[in-house]
Amino acid sequence: MPGTHDFAREETPEGPSPDPVSDVVRWAAFSCALVPVVLLMCGQSFGGAAGTAAGLVALTCVCHALLRQSERTAAKVSAEQASPHRGRHGRTGAGSHRGARRQGSGSPAD
C-alpha cells in the first residue's frame, strides 16, 4: 500500500546485539515480572509471590553487577595484551639511551 512504511524492520539490527549484557538483564526483568503473575494464577499467596519477585530482583541485580565487572576485567586484559608494557621509561631496547654520547666501538675515551 502506498504511504505505509514498516518501521519495525528498519529498527531491528542485523547480527548480534551490541550489548549482550543488557539483553540478558531485559530478559531477567521480564522474568521478574512474569514469575509472580504465574504464581498468583497457580494459587500462590500474594505474599509468597511478592517474596519470590523480590528475590528474583535481588538476584538479577547481583548478576548484572557481576556481568559488568567481568566485562570491565575482560576489556582491561585485552587492552593490556594489545599494547605490551615497554618498561619503566618507555625505552624500546637496550641501546636506546637518549642523549648518550659514545666513542667509537673499540677506541678508549680520552
Side-chain angles (χ1 to χ4, degrees):
M1 214 177 188
T4 61
H5 197 38
D6 191 5
F7 290 105
R9 289 190 181 178
E10 282 186 14
E11 294 175 7
T12 306
E14 295 295 324
S17 173
D19 189 14
V21 173
S22 293
D23 291 343
V24 170
V25 171
R26 265 189 243 122
W27 278 108
F30 174 72
S31 298
C32 289
L34 183 65
V35 167
V37 170
V38 171
L39 288 175
L40 287 173
M41 289 174 36
C42 290
Q44 181 79 16
S45 68
F46 182 76
T52 302
L56 286 173
V57 167
L59 185 64
T60 300
C61 291
V62 169
C63 290
H64 182 244
L66 289 172
L67 283 169
R68 289 294 180 192
Q69 181 181 2
S70 68
E71 260 188 347
R72 286 191 300 267
T73 303
K76 187 177 179 182
V77 167
S78 67
E80 287 175 356
Q81 288 176 352
S83 61
H85 186 66
R86 291 181 52 163
R88 183 172 176 171
H89 296 290
R91 295 180 181 153
T92 57
S96 61
H97 298 285
R98 286 177 273 167
R101 294 185 182 187
R102 295 196 187 112
Q103 297 286 330
S105 63
S107 61
D110 288 325

